[in-house]
Amino acid sequence: MTKTNPGRFFEDYHVGQVIRHAVPRTISGGERALYHALYPARHALHSSDAFALACGLDRAPLDDLITFHTVFGKTVPDVSLNAVANLGYAEGRWLHPVYPGDTLTARSEVIGLKQNSNGKSGVVWVRTTGSNQHGRDVLSYVRWVMVRKRDADAPAPDTVIPDLAGVVKAEDLIIPAGLNFATYDFDLAGEPHRWGDYEVGEVIDHVDGVTLEEAEHMMATRLWQNTAKVHFDATNREDGRRLIYGGHVISLARALSFNGLANAQVIVGLNGGAHANPCFAGDTVRAWTEVLDKADTGAPGVGAIRLRLVATKGAAGALKTEDGKYLPEVLLDLDYWALMPV
């Protein structure tokens, strides 16, 4: 009898199913150091205890995407080990800061299923929640994944497609307790641009680019304990190439956005996202951002700004063809809310 885990296939899921994911993960300052080594991340609130203290927090929280990657990585063996593709995100909210020493666990509920017309795969929607050692939820988001079937002749389940919000409402964003940008130090943050300086519809070219290395993306994917086969085993793709973990592209683009958005300090909402085209080692990634919306918050000196972050191998501002399809050079289209001094 085999003791190894082949992962779940499409027919192994049912709506309402709740999966508790292994393995709990205690996050240390080492994860922050590796994150900042892998990506050009340098937002001040996540880099300096003193800066965070001056902004009303007890110390510097871990980068918000460290929380995302850690929770996401927990789900991979149960949700996407046999995935063809990770298709999208919705209704993401960061609920509580994560600090060095916190232990994160994750659970997912299956909220939707739809078999593909070819009968060989189907789409699974899950709502994933990450919690800390005190049982406090720190992150919640929905994602949907195309998963292979074990048996093409297995009967198709009833189709259930969840009704998901296109945008997290600004009033539903969770502002970290105590956050205060009233005496924000723009010199130490790195740029003078505040919330009022950005206009809806503005497009920001972040200028810089990074050429991806095979070793770096594999180290990053291991760091988040993401076990998806396509990121490690070149025989899992017909072209014999390892696919770059989409979260690696997210973090790289977010870090590149510092040049122009250095004061977008905290990610609080994930409205939607698509990994538009595959990314491979050797690709040079650049980023640009479109300002989609702005909103007031109840926190002193803190405004919310909705941003469309695009990672691309092409030019800033270029996104889709006339028929609405992503251009082949576009890698990521991410819609998120961030907090910024007003």
Side-chain angles (χ1 to χ4, degrees):
M1 180 182 294
T2 181
K3 292 183 173 63
T4 56
N5 175 23
R8 286 176 169 84
F9 292 85
F10 179 70
E11 57 264 46
D12 297 324
Y13 298 96
H14 61 267
V15 173
Q17 180 180 10
V18 176
I19 304 168
R20 296 178 66 212
H21 304 294
V23 173
R25 176 79 176 266
T26 301
I27 309 297
S28 72
E31 277 82 358
R32 191 203 316 264
L34 274 172
Y35 187 88
H36 288 204
L38 288 164
Y39 314 106
R42 48 201 172 110
H43 285 88
L45 196 75
H46 302 296
S47 299
S48 165
D49 286 340
F51 190 94
L53 189 64
C55 292
L57 304 181
D58 293 335
R59 52 184 168 141
L62 292 168
D63 295 70
D64 306 299
L65 290 175
I66 290 179
T67 302
F68 176 81
H69 294 317
T70 302
V71 172
F72 185 101
K74 302 294 97 191
T75 73
V76 169
D78 297 311
V79 175
S80 48
L81 194 65
N82 294 305
V84 178
N86 188 45
L87 299 177
Y89 308 95
E91 297 187 356
R93 292 193 304 157
W94 279 256
L95 305 171
H96 187 69
V98 173
Y99 295 95
D102 283 348
T103 297
L104 301 185
T105 56
R107 64 189 184 277
S108 295
E109 179 183 0
V110 179
I111 61 173
L113 292 171
K114 182 182 185 298
Q115 181 166 301
N116 290 329
S117 58
N118 63 13
K120 298 179 181 179
S121 61
V123 179
V124 182
W125 284 262
V126 296
R127 185 181 302 277
T128 294
T129 304
S131 305
N132 65 17
Q133 69 274 23
H134 305 297
R136 183 162 189 172
D137 293 343
V138 299
L139 173 69
S140 176
Y141 64 91
V142 173
R143 72 166 170 138
W144 49 104
V145 187
M146 188 186 301
V147 181
R148 295 180 178 87
K149 291 185 70 175
R150 178 190 296 106
D151 178 6
D153 295 326
D158 292 337
T159 296
V160 176
I161 300 177
D163 184 16
L164 300 173
V167 178
V168 177
K169 294 179 181 179
E171 56 266 31
D172 293 334
L173 300 173
I174 303 299
I175 312 302
L179 188 68
N180 185 335
F181 286 159
T183 58
Y184 187 91
D185 191 324
F186 288 89
D187 289 335
L188 292 181
E191 285 182 351
H193 315 302
R194 59 180 72 222
W195 183 83
D197 296 329
Y198 293 88
E199 297 182 2
V200 174
E202 179 179 359
V203 173
I204 304 160
D205 181 356
H206 300 300
V207 181
D208 306 308
V210 172
T211 302
L212 293 172
E213 300 288 344
E214 193 82 83
E216 288 178 346
H217 95 83
M218 292 187 68
M219 178 184 293
T221 310
R222 290 192 186 102
L223 176 63
W224 314 125
Q225 297 179 330
N226 182 333
T227 57
K229 299 172 184 177
V230 292
H231 303 318
F232 297 105
D233 185 348
T235 67
N236 267 270
R237 288 181 55 90
E238 292 183 1
D239 60 9
R241 305 173 76 185
R242 286 180 286 220
L243 187 68
I244 301 287
Y245 163 45
H248 191 69
V249 179
I250 292 174
S251 278
L252 182 57
R254 159 70 173 165
L256 289 171
S257 76
F258 180 91
N259 190 351
L261 283 167
N263 295 316
Q265 292 286 354
V266 184
I267 300 176
V268 286
L270 178 59
N271 300 305
H275 297 288
N277 287 289
C279 184
F280 301 98
D283 288 344
T284 297
V285 179
R286 305 182 188 279
W288 57 271
T289 294
E290 179 185 3
V291 179
L292 298 178
D293 199 2
K294 296 164 66 177
D296 296 319
T297 77
V302 179
I305 186 166
R306 183 183 166 201
L307 303 167
R308 176 180 222 164
L309 174 63
V310 177
T312 182
K313 297 182 288 182
L319 185 66
K320 294 183 178 181
T321 61
E322 291 183 358
D323 59 359
K325 295 181 180 180
Y326 284 108
L327 294 167
E329 61 265 30
V330 173
L331 303 172
L332 170 73
D333 182 9
L334 196 74
D335 180 341
Y336 71 103
W337 284 102
L339 301 180
M340 176 180 283
V342 299

